[in-house]
Amino acid sequence: MKKRFFSSFALSAMLFTSAWGAEYGLPSGIQEGNILHCFDWTFNDIKTELPSIAAAGFGSVQVSPVQGNCATNAEWFFAYMPYDFKFRANGNGSRAQLQSLCAEAEKYGIKVIVDVVANHVNQASGYHETWWDQNGRVRWEGGCNYGNRYSITHGQLGDYGDVNSEDSEVQARAKAFVEDLKSIGVKGIRWDAAKHIGLPSEGCNFWKTVTSVPGMFHYGEILDSPGGNGDALMKEYTQYMSVTDNGYSDKCRHSDGVPDSHAGWASGTISDTKVVYWGESHDDYSNEWQASTHVSQAQIDRAWAIGACRAGATALYFSRPSATTRTSIKMGQKGSVQFKQPQIAEVNKFRNLMTGKKDYFSRGNGVASVTRENGGAVIVKSGGAGNVSVANGGGYCPAGTYKDRVSGATFTVTATTISGNVGASGIAVIYKDGVTPDPTPDPNPDPDPTPDPTPDGDCYVYFENTSNWNVRVWAWNEDGSCVAASEWPGDPMTEKNGKLYWSAPAGKVPTLIIFSNNGGEKAGGGDLAFVNGATYKPDGSYTVVGPTPDPTPDPDPVPGEWCVFYDNSSSNWSCVNIHYWSTPMTTWPGVAMTRIDGNIWKFVFPSDASTLSGFLFCNADGSDQTSNYESAPVKGHIYKGSGNKGGVTDEGLYLVYSGIVSVETAEPTTVEIYTLQGVRVSGEGLAPGIYIRREGNAVTKVYIR
C-alpha cells in the first residue's frame, strides 16, 4: 500500500476514500459489487476487519438490525423483533460506533448497509415504543396464508402484530429512520420481509415513501414468490429496490454451484441489475429449519461464486456464526472470516474488474462457467478439484493461456472451449493482466443499425439511463398545467434510438421537466428546464440532439476568473477554507476563501480547476468539515454544505442580478427566468433564491441574491 503520499493524519482522512478505493478496485455503487454479511458482528469487530474486507474485494458490508430488543449475547432472532423504527440500544454497538464504522469504511470505498425490520414491531410489554399502541398502527389479523396475497401483506409473521404499512404516519416514521441512518453515514438498506409490505398498486405507498430519500441503495428480502401475480409484483418491487432471488440461490446451493439455468427472476421478469444472489442467507443457516447449517462451507462458496461473478446482479456472502443452532447463535459474536480465502477474494476482484462487460452462462458435465466479454471467466466444478472442459460461452473469454488466480493452475482457452485443472476449492478465476472495466457500458448492446433521425411529436426529449432507473417524466407548461400524466411521478419513457424517449402531447410545450426513478431519485436533484430535442443524463446535464445543434458552442460559458462560491448558512463557520486534490492539491486544512456577502464566500483558483478529482469545505483550523465532493468543481457554481461531514450540493451557477435581468454578451439576447416550479418571472425585484435561467438552448440554475 503506497502510504508515502499522505503526510498527516488529517490529510490521510481526506484522501483515503479515493486512493484506497481505487487501490482495491472497489466499485462506486453497491449493486455493482458484492456484499459481505457480517451477521451479528459488532461494529467495532467489522471496523477492525475493514482492511481485509477491502483486500477481499467486497464493496459493502451488511450489519444486523439496530432497532433494539437484542442486547449482546441475546439470541439473534430478537434483533428481528424491533422496538421501533429508530436506532435503539442493541448488541451491534452504539450510534457513535456505527458512525465511526461508516466513516472508516468510507476511507476504503466500502459502503455500510443496515438490515431494517419494518413489517412488525414487538408487542411484548416493555419491548416496544408506546406510539405503536395508538390509532391502529399495528393490526392483528391472524397468521399469513401464503396462498393469499392480502394475507401476506396484512397477516402476522409471529406472535407480534403486523405494522399498518398503509398508514401515512407509519410511512413517515420509517422514512425518518432512513434519513437518520443516512445522517450517520449508512449508504444502503436491506429491508427484511419486504414481500409482506404492499405496493402502490395495492393501495400502499410505503415503498414509494421510504425509498424517496436520495442517495440510498435499497434491496428487499423476498423469499420464494411474493404471491398473487408474482411476475407483475416483482416488477413493481424493482421500481423501488433490488430484490433477492431466493429460488435461484437455492438452486445454486443444491446443485453445488452448477445450476441448470442462468437465472431465476432475471431470466425474463426483471433486470439482473435488480437482483441479489447468495450461497446461503442468515435464515437458511440460523433458523430452526437449518436449510444450509450442515452444508459444507466449500459447497456454499461454490454456490455463491457462480452468482457473484455476473454482470448486473450483486451477491451476498454470509459470515457463518460458530454456533449451529437457533438458540445458541448470539448477537455481538464475530463470525467466520472465510471471506479472506483466495477463491472468494478472486471472484470479487473479477466481478469488480469486469464492470460493463456482458456475461454468458454455460454448464455441462458437473461444471458451470460465466464468461465476460473480452475479459475472462469464473469456472465452478461440483465436488471440488479436477480437470474440466467447458464451453467458452459466447466466445467471450479471449483465446490464450491463463493462470488460475485461485490455485495457480494453467488453463487453455480457444474460441469454443475452456480447459484446465480446477483446484481444491472447486472455483477457478481466469483473466489476463491489463483488463480494465468498461467505463460507459452500452445501455443498448444491439442498437438499431438504421435509427430514425426524426422523432415523433413536436416536443420531445431523450434520457441516457446509465443508472438503470425505472424512468418517469413529470412535465408542465408555463401556466402551471401538467403536460405529463395527471398523477406523480408522471409518464413512463419508451426506448428509441438507443435511449429512452418521451414526447409531449400535441400542441403542448413544457417549461420544466423532472426525470425520476419512479418518483424516487431525481436527475440533477429535481427540476430541470425543458430543452426540446435534448438528451439528459442522471446528473441533470444534457446535450442537444436533432438537425440543428449549435455549430459553435461556447467553450467557456462563464467568462472571467476560475472561481467557486460557498453558502455558509448551514455550516455557520466564522471563516471558510476550501481543500482540493489531486492535481494541484492543497495541504490540510486547505486555503482561505473570501467572504463577499453575508453567508456567501468566494475562492479564485490559481488556474483551471476542471482537472481536480475532488474538494471539500472546512473551518479555518480543520476541526469541522463537509464530506468530500468526489468530482471537479464547476466554474462559477455555488456549493452548500454542513459540518460534521455533511453532504455538499451543487446549487448551480452563481450570478448576481440587480434590477432587470441582463447577461454579459455582445449581441442582444432574450433571457428568461423561471422559478423551480416552472413559473416565468420578471428579472426585477426577485427574492433571493435558486432560479432557472434560459437563453436560447443554454439553460442553467442560478443563485440570485
Side-chain angles (χ1 to χ4, degrees):
M1 191 177 300
K2 300 177 181 178
K3 293 185 180 177
R4 63 178 180 274
F5 291 118
F6 311 118
S7 58
S8 70
F9 176 81
L11 179 57
S12 298
M14 300 308 106
L15 298 181
F16 276 179
T17 298
S18 57
W20 284 19
E23 182 171 340
Y24 290 117
L26 301 183
S28 59
I30 292 175
Q31 184 72 36
E32 290 72 41
N34 291 326
I35 306 165
L36 177 64
H37 188 183
C38 296
F39 179 63
D40 292 347
W41 290 35
T42 66
F43 301 139
N44 285 343
D45 280 341
I46 300 171
K47 184 177 176 180
T48 299
E49 289 287 0
L50 283 173
S52 297
I53 294 169
F58 284 98
S60 53
V61 294
Q62 179 177 309
V63 305
S64 294
V66 296
Q67 296 159 255
N69 203 36
C70 193
T72 301
N73 292 325
E75 290 92 339
W76 68 273
F77 47 82
F78 284 109
Y80 293 86
M81 303 177 192
Y83 189 98
D84 197 359
F85 290 176
K86 291 182 180 180
F87 189 102
R88 306 287 303 191
N90 64 84
N92 297 316
S94 67
R95 182 185 182 90
Q97 287 169 339
L98 176 57
Q99 190 167 30
S100 177
L101 168 62
C102 291
E104 188 70 14
E106 188 172 2
K107 297 176 186 177
Y108 291 86
I110 295 172
K111 292 81 177 169
V112 175
I113 301 169
V114 170
D115 195 350
V116 171
V117 184
N119 174 74
H120 50 269
V121 290
N122 195 349
Q123 290 295 292
S125 176
Y127 287 101
H128 71 283
E129 169 59 53
T130 55
W131 182 88
W132 293 98
D133 297 334
Q134 307 165 41
N135 300 331
R137 292 163 179 156
V138 175
R139 56 196 171 206
W140 303 82
E141 298 189 15
C144 286
N145 172 5
Y146 284 89
N148 181 286
R149 174 64 181 170
Y150 180 88
S151 179
I152 289 173
T153 58
H154 287 67
Q156 297 162 230
L157 286 182
D159 296 331
Y160 26 81
D162 182 74
V163 164
N164 183 0
S165 308
E166 290 74 23
D167 184 270
S168 60
E169 290 183 318
V170 169
Q171 295 165 11
R173 197 174 185 88
K175 180 181 178 181
F177 184 35
V178 175
E179 291 171 330
D180 184 49
L181 291 173
K182 180 181 177 180
S183 75
I184 293 172
V186 172
K187 303 295 185 184
I189 306 294
R190 182 263 190 192
W191 294 98
D192 182 69
K195 77 175 183 182
H196 294 278
I197 297 176
L199 292 157
S201 66
E202 301 170 303
C204 180
N205 286 324
F206 183 90
W207 296 122
K208 184 176 181 179
T209 301
V210 299
T211 60
S212 66
V213 179
M216 293 291 280
F217 172 83
H218 300 269
Y219 88 90
E221 177 208 37
I222 296 182
L223 302 181
D224 306 316
S225 169
N229 185 344
D231 285 1
L233 290 169
M234 290 298 280
K235 287 179 181 178
E236 190 172 355
Y237 274 109
T238 59
Q239 294 177 14
Y240 305 99
M241 66 186 77
S242 294
V243 293
T244 61
D245 192 333
N246 178 66
Y248 186 73
S249 297
D250 281 353
K251 274 189 176 184
C252 292
R253 182 171 69 247
H254 294 152
S255 64
D256 198 10
V258 188
D260 60 4
S261 60
H262 76 281
W265 288 113
S267 62
T269 300
I270 61 177
S271 168
D272 52 11
T273 60
K274 290 293 187 177
V275 172
V276 180
Y277 294 130
W278 57 49
E280 63 182 340
S281 71
H282 76 270
D283 281 313
D284 291 330
Y285 184 90
S286 302
N287 259 314
E288 62 270 20
W289 54 84
Q290 296 191 316
S292 70
T293 314
H294 304 294
V295 177
S296 72
Q297 181 72 69
Q299 183 171 332
I300 295 298
D301 289 353
R302 291 190 284 271
W304 172 82
I306 203 62
C309 57
R310 305 296 179 86
T314 185
L316 184 84
Y317 188 85
F318 177 67
S319 167
R320 287 182 153 188
S322 57
T324 57
T325 62
R326 182 172 184 267
T327 55
S328 63
I329 297 170
K330 304 295 179 66
M331 176 62 75
Q333 297 181 357
K334 182 177 177 180
S336 166
V337 292
Q338 173 74 6
F339 69 86
K340 299 181 183 181
Q341 294 300 311
Q343 64 269 26
I344 306 304
E346 292 300 335
V347 170
N348 282 329
K349 293 172 186 177
F350 176 91
R351 165 74 196 281
N352 298 339
L353 190 59
M354 298 298 156
T355 297
K357 299 181 184 296
K358 292 187 290 186
D359 66 7
Y360 198 111
F361 173 83
S362 304
R363 71 179 295 273
N365 300 318
V367 182
S369 72
V370 173
T371 50
R372 301 292 292 269
E373 189 172 33
N374 297 320
V378 170
I379 303 102
V380 174
K381 181 182 180 299
S382 175
N387 292 320
V388 301
S389 180
V390 66
N392 181 3
Y396 280 179
C397 186
T401 302
Y402 294 77
K403 181 180 179 180
D404 175 17
R405 304 276 172 158
V406 178
S407 70
T410 299
F411 274 75
T412 301
V413 178
T414 69
T416 59
T417 307
I418 300 173
S419 303
N421 185 275
V422 176
S425 68
I427 302 168
V429 178
I430 60 172
Y431 58 90
K432 294 289 182 67
D433 290 333
V435 174
T436 57
D438 292 342
T440 53
D442 184 358
N444 182 23
D446 297 305
D448 182 357
T450 57
D452 180 4
T454 308
D456 299 329
D458 295 326
C459 291
Y460 63 92
V461 288
Y462 290 107
F463 188 80
E464 291 187 2
N465 192 21
T466 54
S467 295
N468 293 309
W469 288 354
N470 175 22
V471 183
R472 311 283 289 199
V473 169
W474 182 256
W476 58 95
N477 56 26
E478 291 185 17
D479 64 8
S481 61
C482 179
V483 299
S486 59
E487 182 178 351
W488 171 261
D491 291 335
M493 300 192 76
T494 58
E495 189 168 337
K496 189 179 184 113
N497 298 346
K499 306 184 186 81
L500 293 181
Y501 169 78
W502 177 85
S503 62
K508 296 287 188 177
V509 181
T511 299
L512 284 156
I513 192 166
I514 295 176
F515 301 91
S516 72
N517 185 10
N518 200 47
E521 189 173 358
K522 302 177 181 66
D527 303 286
L528 303 173
F530 178 87
V531 178
N532 191 27
T535 297
Y536 292 81
K537 296 182 178 180
D539 64 3
S541 63
Y542 72 92
T543 55
V544 177
V545 299
T548 57
D550 183 0
T552 57
D554 184 356
D556 186 4
V558 188
E561 59 194 10
W562 225 110
C563 63
V564 294
F565 302 86
Y566 180 71
D567 182 342
N568 188 36
S569 58
S570 294
S571 44
N572 198 30
W573 296 317
S574 58
C575 293
V576 179
N577 282 15
I578 183 172
H579 171 55
Y580 53 87
W581 59 91
S582 293
T583 306
M585 181 172 71
T586 57
T587 57
W588 182 254
V591 290
M593 301 184 72
T594 301
R595 186 200 302 267
I596 61 170
D597 181 58
N599 285 312
I600 308 302
W601 295 67
K602 177 181 178 181
F603 179 75
V604 179
F605 289 93
S607 60
D608 186 339
S610 61
T611 59
L612 296 178
S613 57
F615 61 98
L616 59 82
F617 301 94
C618 61
N619 59 4
D621 63 6
S623 60
D624 193 20
Q625 65 175 75
T626 66
S627 64
N628 295 357
Y629 195 90
E630 299 287 358
S631 63
V634 180
K635 183 179 181 181
H637 278 214
I638 184 168
Y639 296 85
K640 187 174 183 179
S642 57
N644 296 314
K645 296 188 177 181
V648 178
T649 57
D650 183 343
E651 302 294 327
L653 188 66
Y654 183 76
L655 299 178
V656 178
Y657 292 113
S658 58
I660 300 175
V661 172
S662 61
V663 292
E664 304 81 359
T665 56
E667 300 296 327
T669 58
T670 299
V671 176
E672 300 169 345
I673 299 294
Y674 298 89
T675 68
L676 292 180
Q677 289 70 42
V679 179
R680 188 173 176 180
V681 293
S682 166
E684 299 184 15
L686 288 177
I690 302 172
Y691 294 82
I692 298 295
R693 172 184 183 272
R694 176 158 61 184
E695 179 187 0
N697 279 332
V699 180
T700 55
K701 268 186 181 178
V702 297
Y703 193 109
I704 297 179
R705 69 168 176 86

